[in-house]
Amino acid sequence: MLISAERLRDFAADIFTAAGTSREEGERVARYLVEANLAGHDSHGVVRVPRYVQWLHSGFIVAGVTPVIERETPITAVVDGRYGFGQTVTPVAVKLGIEKAKASGLAAIALKNSAHLGRVGDWGEMAAAEGLVAIHYVNVHGSLLVAPFGGVDRRLSTAPHCIAVPLPNRPPVVLDFATSYVAEGKVLVASRGGKRIPDDALIRPDGSVSGDPAVLYGPLTSNDRTPENGEGAIRAFGLHKGSGLAFMCEILGGALTGNGTCGPREQARGRITNGMLSFYIRPDVIDDPAAFVARAERYIAFYKSSRPAEAGGEVLIPGEMEARNRAERGAKGIPLPDETWASIVACAEAVGVASTRIPAAA
Ligand code: NAD
């Protein structure tokens, strides 16, 4: 299935609206999911629609939430997302950080109890577009998926980390990744017939490694993809260093924000919440922004000038891959595996989207 971003956005918004959100919120959630597909991160795109609807109906996500600022100083704030859609409550927290950093040069914002906030790069890009450096440490309370370096039991969430840098005249420079070997969504996409994950991305209780999504989800015979059904775990990336960064995301994004760490499980089974500790820096409080940009650009040219490791290869900087995907998918459309498409259509039918509103498979 190849579908344009615009049609996919409309369709996903129809589903969320039929499932119980306002049209405005449905469109917002749909827009961010499709943005992830455009960036090439299908793991955080529309493959999530059925799961979001399931969470909405079970009360794990609450529609129409206004986040609450619990504490505030001129340069800090604690924002309680009150289980609202991450796509609704996170922009409020990021906007607050942008305003404070613009006024004072630096800000730290703790967001807790946000439902799944999607691709963290969206939030880094939002700040970078306003001329700010942004650094995010994120955890997922209630989502035990990842084994630490040296272990086989799940003790970490996929705890993403993101750094965004404002450099004008080029696509967003954004490093944004899960601290797990692969994002859970990538296992989900693979389990639905999409791109395979590496053969050593998962670990079984006996310590052997695997690329079979059934290690995480249990037998793939039903439509259900519940990580609790599997016996294994995703491995942390980058050996002890990646595992250590993931640990710090739990400590900063989970323990310090008040969101709660990934475990031991404290919340109702099934509810997951993102916690995010974000730092925003206005570059001009450190140095002349023009001098910073010039130095960074000289370095980028130097970095990219490395001879490729493989014939025809190339060195990319953070964010370059996403920019290329956006250009290609914006022009040609977004490819979706048949199984992903079928699960979204089944979800649309279940919530009562009119059949005339369901795009025909190409
Ligand atoms: P990934 O492994 O695709 O890595 C992406 C990063 O690597 C980007 O910064 C990208 O620019 C860079 N990159 C990609 N290819 C490159 C290359 N060839 N050379 C140099 N740099 C390259 O990402 P991931 O770990 O699969 O994470 C996917 C998304 O999942 C992220 O957007 C992340 O925020 C999101 N996520 C969210 C949650 C949540 O709870 N909300 C949890 C985990 C992950």
Side-chain angles (χ1 to χ4, degrees), residues 25 28 32 52 65-67 79-98 109-124 126-127 136 138 273-278 280:
E25 183 160 53
R28 183 168 50 244
Y32 279 114
Y52 278 17
V65 157
T66 303
V79 179
D80 186 345
R82 299 168 64 218
Y83 310 119
F85 275 99
Q87 293 79 3
T88 294
V89 302
T90 315
V92 174
V94 176
K95 195 161 169 281
L96 192 61
I98 290 171
I109 307 290
L111 170 67
K112 64 181 178 182
N113 302 328
S114 166
H116 190 252
L117 54 71
R119 194 185 146 253
V120 185
D122 283 329
W123 316 120
M126 187 173 157
H136 308 278
V138 182
T273 58
N274 276 134
M276 178 164 88
L277 187 70
S278 304
Y280 302 96

Side-chain angles (χ1 to χ4, degrees), residues 41 43-44 116-121 140 158 160 174-178 180 183 186 274 316-322:
H41 291 291
S43 58
H44 284 66
H116 190 252
L117 54 71
R119 194 185 146 253
V120 185
V140 202
T158 52
V174 179
L175 179 67
D176 168 34
F177 55 72
S180 48
K186 295 214 159 118
N274 276 134
L316 301 180
I317 63 164
E320 229 174 340
M321 189 62 98
E322 285 75 8

Side-chain angles (χ1 to χ4, degrees), residues 160-229:
H161 177 48
C162 172
I163 302 176
V165 180
L167 292 175
N169 310 321
R170 62 166 58 248
V173 179
V174 179
L175 179 67
D176 168 34
F177 55 72
T179 52
S180 48
Y181 191 145
V182 289
E184 191 248 332
K186 295 214 159 118
V187 191
L188 182 66
V189 168
S191 80
R192 295 208 183 281
K195 191 176 169 197
R196 287 175 56 85
I197 56 169
D199 287 340
D200 58 350
L202 307 178
I203 189 161
R204 298 191 185 90
D206 67 4
S208 61
V209 297
S210 169
D212 177 0
V215 171
L216 194 69
Y217 297 123
L220 303 178
T221 41
S222 79
N223 205 24
D224 185 27
R225 296 288 186 270
T226 308
E228 279 80 2
N229 295 342

